Amino acid sequence: MRLAIIGFGFLGRNLLKIIWEKMSLIREIDKDFLIVGAANSKGYIYNGDGLNVERLITTKDISKLSGFRAEPALNLIKNDLCDIIVEATPTNINDGEPGLTHIRLALSKGIHVITPNKGPLVLAFRELTELAKKNDCDLLYEGAVAGAIPIFSLVRECLQGDKIIRLYGILNGTTNYILSRMFFEEISFEIALKEAQEKGIAERDPSYDVDGIDAACKIVILSNALMGRDVKINDVERVSIRGITQEAISLAKKANYAIKLIGTINKRLEVAPKLIPINHPLCVHGTLNAIHLETDLAREITLVGYGAGKETISAILNDIITVLKRRTRK
Ligand SMILES: NC(=O)c1ccc[n+]([C@@H]2O[C@H](COP(=O)([O-])OP(=O)(O)OC[C@H]3O[C@@H](n4cnc5c(N)ncnc54)[C@H](OP(=O)(O)O)[C@@H]3O)[C@@H](O)[C@H]2O)c1
């Protein structure tokens, strides 16, 4: 199989490094596995016999490499230069671009897609999964929700006979960090936010995280993927954590509760601050994420893990290996 990485930023680069480290494991599954392309916003580098990975890893700006083509990454897909793409361009929840066009074209050509990019999944989940089915190819997105936590694989592989009844989750590490600092250090929201911004955990414009937009995107993907719904971002009610005071956190703490931003899939879809008993498995701190599932047979399962960062590569690599195992002829 020939893999192209579209979006050669933080995740794309780290993925390439890890694939390089794990190449012998991957080649045991697919002896012909090659990384043939890597693209950024300016163009791409391609070699049908396999890229010089060591050179790519050590080069800061791939557009300076000889052989770099200043053409849209879409050409890697259009010209059938790969069999799998990892689509890791920036998330855009307004129109899904550029990822949506990359993923649509790839799937319509039978090219397998692995993506941590929420935008296309939030806007066009049903269309994209139907396109993958129609063209007999895989669309996997484990890294798009809760980073390294294998929620989709768990349900797909281990809960095949279960019905998921409800889901609750801490799905945003930035807000969990802010609320944890308020809980443990007894500081205000403003100070905790400033600290998170200084550490690079929160963006300069924090609204995407603190107003629950990011968590709402994840609720949409989880609902559509795990519960067969067809919901959109406007179906999720949202309450920001901006209004949470230190007084509210202290009062909750005295009663053995923490305030957490919880995404809920029940009859209603919601992202809102909730009181969680401090001994509940969902009550995790720092930048950790957690997902609590209620099913008819297993009853309750909680998963805890890193929701972003390099750990996300675990999810992306597992998706790649899943495709190779399903699709490689021995
Ligand atoms: N970082 C995480 O921990 C994490 C975790 C889970 C999910 N995600 C999601 O994964 C995706 C990638 O995240 P990231 O942190 O790696 O982002 P990033 O560092 O900003 O990298 C994005 C890459 O996409 C490239 N790009 C932009 N427009 C493009 C286009 N039209 N064609 C081809 N490439 C294009 C950028 O090119 P330039 O280098 O030229 O700008 C850059 O290389 C995002 O959707 C993000 O939400 C990230």
Side-chain angles (χ1 to χ4, degrees), residues 113-128:
V113 174
I114 289 152
T115 188
N117 180 352
K118 290 173 286 293
L121 299 169
V122 168
L123 295 169
F125 188 85
R126 183 64 69 90
E127 177 206 327
L128 296 177

Side-chain angles (χ1 to χ4, degrees), residues 30-50:
D30 176 9
K31 63 179 177 23
D32 300 320
F33 179 80
L34 287 175
I35 302 165
V36 293
N40 65 15
S41 64
K42 300 182 202 87
Y44 62 85
I45 185 111
Y46 168 78
N47 185 337
D49 297 323

